[in-house]
Structures are given as structure tokens and as C-alpha cells.
Amino acid sequence: MSNTVLMGAQWGDEGKGKIIDVLTENIDLVVRYQGGSNAGHTVEVGDKKYVLHLIPSGILRENTVNVVANGVVVNLVSIKEEIDGLVEKGINLAGRLFVGDRAHIVFPYHQMLDAAKEALCSDETKIGTTKRGIGPAYADKASRTGLRMGDLLDPIFPELLKTRAEFANKELEFLGAETFDVDALIAQFIELAEFMKPFITDAVVMINDAVEAKKSILFEGAQGTMLDIEFGTYPFVTSSSTTTGGAATGSGLAMRHIDQVVGVIKAYTTRVGEGPFPTELFDDVGAHIAKIGAEFGATTGRPRRCGWFDAVVGRYASMINGVDYWAMTKLDVLDELETLKICVAYEADGETYTSVPSNIRILEKCKPVYEEMPGWCSSTKDVTKYEDLPEAAKAYVSRLCELTNAKLGILSVGPKRSSTLRIAL
Ligand code: GDP
Ligand code: IMO
Ligand code: MG
């Protein structure tokens, strides 16, 4: 038994879904601890492809129980759709899916507020959110005006929702956006509450009982370190704690029970949405990576911005999260490139930065300092042992690990379970 936190080291979409699926073979409980339906975690099992937004990726392994814990903001329309979709695909959910009673609810008005606020922003200030209502739902949580999953079980839920919904309509009106029919919303949520009731539980007790019973738990992070509300490229971030610390506050697990931290990191960098991205490529190489890596958002379908590996970001992520080992993904995407660049530092206004500057206006000006390595110009996608990789590929991966102060534990060379190389630590 051991308790593992798995988190993204860059700007999300590192391939967390795939790695979670690989690791859950021997896991009892999988816990999502932050974010909401802004996440899109892709898992390929055989010839089937699943994209999970709120339900932990462990649901695809029959041996696991899956928990959506208190740190998550739960969109009931989305989770119902996901549940229905999984049942349709023959996945048995009975006794395998639970939602914490302390988790906050995302209502349609949160999505409307998200869209209305983005619409009022200029090109410079808009965040490029997923429009899933994440910011407004976490804002309500912090303002102490949110409603939680446990409230669905309370007979006064319709009254609580009425008060909140009327207030949200005033906010929408103030923003010049369309308002909504409060009674229709209440009717919709009375039905959704009935649907969700069997899944709602005290997840804090459930998780800690599992610890007591010496079960193995995997904490599934969403988004990535650079989107963290504290440590990311603020304000171009999401609204939750995407880093290791979020696993404790988002689940009720005491930190001393965390045994291991696995960081998922791509062998290059991508970002979706707005905000600074020092190693972004605007040339044919960027287009090649986007094409070979199929870099389109799993939630919104937006094209992802692509760039070289940023070791400044990697080092920062390994430090903040306390990464025990990297699960490095998508090495195969670089197979055809003759030369690879790695960003080792930034320069702005004559200053050199070896860690990520907190000031977004400085980060926006940062130019990458690159070192170059030869590519391997051969296919890695059918390689099954690390030793069998081309020497240049091994040298590239080793250099990334050296620059980011973390060991390599898993190397992924394709989306399927079988394209996974384990490295003895
Ligand atoms: P997540 O949000 O971190 O779970 O990542 P996404 O699912 O949004 O995006 C990762 C994409 O890369 C998915 O389409 C995966 O199927 C795919 N993928 C994961 N690992 C690999 C890999 O090693 N090689 C390739 N070519 N694709 C991968
Ligand atoms: P997974 O879990 C990549 C980005 C959005 C936007 C910013 C804020 O699949 O890695 P939000 O809707 O959260 O308010 O948007 O964060 N973003 C993601 N980017 N992967 C994700 O999740 C993301 N979730 C949010 O594009 O820039
Ligand atoms: Mg994703």
C-alpha cells in the first residue's frame, strides 16, 4: 500500500489520464481533488477512447473505487452526462463512484458569468477559459456564497438555490448579460439532486478509512503547475490548487500520508488558452509538433499552442510539487525532428532568470535561452524497453531530467497502455 499524488508539471494536458490509467492497475481508490469539468483526461483502452472531465480516470479499471473529493467543483449536468456515457459503454459504476458532500456545485449561472466576464475583457486581459464556470464557482466558494453537494440532500435546497440564483441574475444584469429563469433552474436541479443522491457521501471519512485500512490511493491532479492559482502564470491560471498541496486540502488527507509524488511532464510544451509561454513556436516545427501530437483540447477542441521543452518550468514544478519521479510523455512526437531545443533559462531586459518570475509583465518579455541536442530521426513508438531507445533519445530524456532535478520513472511513447516504458528507480 502507498498513497501517490499525480499532478501535471506544465500547463495541463501532459497525458495525466493515460498515466493514471497505467498506474491504477494496482490501486484501490482514485481521488480527484481539484478543478472541474475544465479538465479533459484521455484514456485509450484497446480500441476505445474515453475522455473524462470530472470522473477519475481510474473508473476504467474494475478494481478501483473512485471519489470526486471536496476540492473539486462539480457541474451536475456534466457529471450526469459522463455517468450516462460510461454506463452506455458498459462500465459498471455500482459502488465504484462517490462524490464528496463538501464539494461545491457549478451551476449554469457560473458558466454564464464566466462567459460574460470573458466577453467584457480585452484581447490583453481575457484568460481564454474553458467557459465551464470554474472561476465563478470557486469565487462563490471563497465568498462563502456557494452551494455544496451535501446541500442537495437538505429539504431547504430549493430555497437556498433560489436566493443564490436571484443574486446571480443581478450579477449577470450588472455585466450586461442575459439573465435566466430561476424557477426553471430550480426544477432542473431538483431532478439532478435526485439523480446524484446515491453518489453523495462524506468523502473525508471514506478516504481516511481507506488510509486506515492500508489501501492504496492515487490522487488524480487536473490542469498543471503553471495553471495553479498560487504558483502559475497568474492571472492566466485556473482557480484551484493544481499542485501537490491541493491533494491534501482538496481531499481531507493529512499530508503525512502522502508517500510519493509522480509528476507528469511532456517531452515538449503545450498551452491552451491565453497567457505567456516563453518557448512557444510559431513556425513549421510548432505546426509539426501540433500535427504529430494531435494537440487539440480534449474539452474545448481548441488547438493547443506548442513549443520546446522548458526546463525552467520543469525545475520549478519539480521543486514546488516535490516530484519523486517524472512520468514523461509524448517522446514519440519528436521522432522526426533533426535538432531539439531545450530552454535552460530566460532573459529579459538584460537580466537572466533561472526560475519563473512572478511578475507576468516580466514573464511576457522573457526570451528563452536554448541549448541544442541532436534528434534521433527514427520511430520510438514500438519500443518496449528503455534500453532499446536510440542513444540520442536517451541522451535527450536524461538531459531533461538533469535540468529539472528529478528522476525518470515512466516514459510514454504512445497513447496506449502498451506504449509505456518503466524505468527502475
Ligand atoms: P491530460 O489532460 O493530462 O490527461 O492530457 P490530455 O488527455 O488532455 O492530452 C494528452 C493527449 O496525448 C491524449 O490524446 C492522449 O491520448 C495522448 N497521449 C498520452 N501519452 C502519449 C504519448 O506518449 N504519445 C502520444 N503520441 N500521445 C500520447
Ligand atoms: P487538464 O486536466 C489545459 C486552462 C484554460 C485557460 C485557463 C483557465 O485536461 O490538463 P478555466 O476554465 O479553468 O477557468 O481556464 O486554464 N485550462 C486547461 N488547460 N488542460 C486543462 O486541464 C485545463 N483546464 C483549464 O485553457 O487557459
Ligand atoms: Mg487534458
Side-chain angles (χ1 to χ4, degrees):
M1 66 94 204
S2 79
N3 301 324
T4 303
V5 175
L6 179 143
M7 38 42 69
Q10 295 153 317
W11 276 281
D13 302 327
E14 296 89 351
K16 296 177 292 295
K18 179 204 153 152
I19 302 298
I20 289 155
D21 175 62
V22 167
L23 293 178
T24 43
E25 196 175 358
N26 302 309
I27 290 284
D28 303 304
L29 203 67
V30 186
V31 180
R32 253 296 290 278
Y33 57 86
Q34 46 72 228
S37 57
N38 48 351
H41 297 173
T42 315
V43 183
E44 290 193 20
V45 185
D47 56 4
K48 285 201 183 124
K49 187 169 167 173
Y50 302 84
V51 180
L52 295 148
H53 301 284
L54 277 161
I55 296 178
S57 307
I59 202 76
L60 304 173
R61 296 269 193 190
E62 274 186 8
N63 51 298
T64 63
V65 169
N66 294 265
V67 183
V68 177
N70 58 280
V72 177
V73 286
V74 186
N75 181 322
L76 300 190
V77 179
S78 300
I79 200 166
K80 181 175 185 302
E81 261 172 34
E82 242 176 290
I83 291 170
D84 291 345
L86 288 170
V87 170
E88 216 167 90
K89 285 184 173 155
I91 309 285
N92 169 28
L93 298 185
R96 298 190 52 231
L97 178 66
F98 296 92
V99 182
D101 52 5
R102 290 175 175 83
H104 278 248
I105 302 169
V106 180
F107 290 99
Y109 54 76
H110 289 125
Q111 282 179 261
M112 295 166 81
L113 286 164
D114 193 353
K117 285 179 181 170
E118 282 278 273
L120 286 176
C121 288
S122 67
D123 281 354
E124 285 71 42
T125 57
K126 76 167 193 271
I127 293 167
T129 73
T130 59
K131 299 206 172 71
R132 296 298 186 272
I134 304 300
Y138 277 111
D140 263 357
K141 176 176 177 172
S143 303
R144 293 146 300 170
T145 47
L147 294 178
R148 310 196 292 180
M149 293 301 295
D151 293 326
L152 296 175
L153 308 174
D154 197 316
I156 65 160
F157 171 70
E159 289 156 53
L160 296 173
L161 181 54
K162 190 170 196 297
T163 310
R164 256 316 295 153
E166 281 169 354
F167 190 79
N169 256 343
K170 288 196 186 113
E171 291 178 287
L172 285 164
E173 218 176 291
F174 177 75
L175 294 171
E178 270 188 43
T179 55
F180 60 93
D181 181 338
V182 172
D183 291 332
L185 179 86
I186 293 171
Q188 180 192 10
F189 273 75
I190 288 173
E191 255 182 54
L192 283 167
E194 271 316 304
F195 177 81
M196 287 310 298
K197 271 178 190 167
F199 299 101
I200 302 171
T201 193
D202 187 335
V204 175
V205 170
M206 192 177 176
I207 291 163
N208 282 284
D209 281 353
V211 172
E212 193 76 9
K214 308 228 176 301
K215 304 259 190 213
S216 292
I217 312 179
L218 182 73
F219 291 86
E220 170 172 349
Q223 289 79 51
T225 301
M226 300 311 288
L227 291 172
D228 185 279
I229 183 80
E230 313 283 340
F231 305 110
T233 48
Y234 191 91
F236 300 98
V237 292
T238 191
S239 304
S240 65
S241 295
T242 64
T243 41
T244 308
T249 54
S251 73
L253 176 91
M255 274 183 282
R256 69 190 172 96
H257 294 306
I258 297 174
D259 302 302
Q260 170 167 257
V261 178
V262 178
V264 187
I265 194 160
K266 259 183 213 181
Y268 51 95
T269 315
T270 62
R271 171 164 208 171
V272 60
E274 307 301 324
F277 177 3
T279 64
E280 184 168 11
L281 288 165
F282 300 95
D283 58 5
D284 291 351
V285 179
H288 174 83
I289 293 174
K291 182 168 162 240
I292 306 294
E295 294 295 357
F296 290 92
T299 296
T300 58
R302 290 179 292 176
R304 295 176 183 148
R305 300 153 66 191
C306 296
W308 294 118
F309 187 86
D310 186 337
V312 180
V313 163
R315 196 157 53 232
Y316 180 68
S318 99
M319 174 177 73
I320 289 173
N321 294 289
V323 169
D324 287 296
Y325 71 81
W326 290 129
M328 192 175 286
T329 60
K330 303 193 95 161
L331 184 75
D332 55 298
V333 174
L334 306 178
D335 281 351
E336 290 167 36
L337 298 176
E338 281 174 17
T339 305
L340 300 167
K341 290 189 186 178
I342 306 168
C343 168
V344 293
Y346 304 142
E347 271 175 6
D349 296 330
E351 292 267 345
T352 300
Y353 295 87
T354 54
S355 189
V356 182
S358 69
N359 185 327
I360 199 79
R361 287 157 298 275
I362 295 177
L363 186 60
E364 269 159 2
K365 282 196 247 170
C366 279
K367 299 273 171 270
V369 178
Y370 285 123
E371 65 179 43
E372 288 191 6
M373 291 189 81
W376 43 96
C377 300
S378 61
S379 174
T380 57
K381 76 177 173 44
D382 296 319
V383 174
T384 54
K385 281 200 225 105
Y386 184 78
E387 304 80 69
D388 297 342
L389 282 173
E391 285 308 318
K394 281 192 264 188
Y396 176 70
V397 169
S398 297
R399 184 68 183 138
L400 301 194
C401 291
E402 184 181 37
L403 287 166
T404 54
N405 294 329
K407 288 181 274 194
L408 185 71
I410 293 176
L411 185 65
S412 173
V413 291
K416 301 218 176 298
R417 282 176 180 169
S418 53
S419 310
T420 313
L421 320 185
R422 303 276 193 147
I423 295 96
L425 290 162

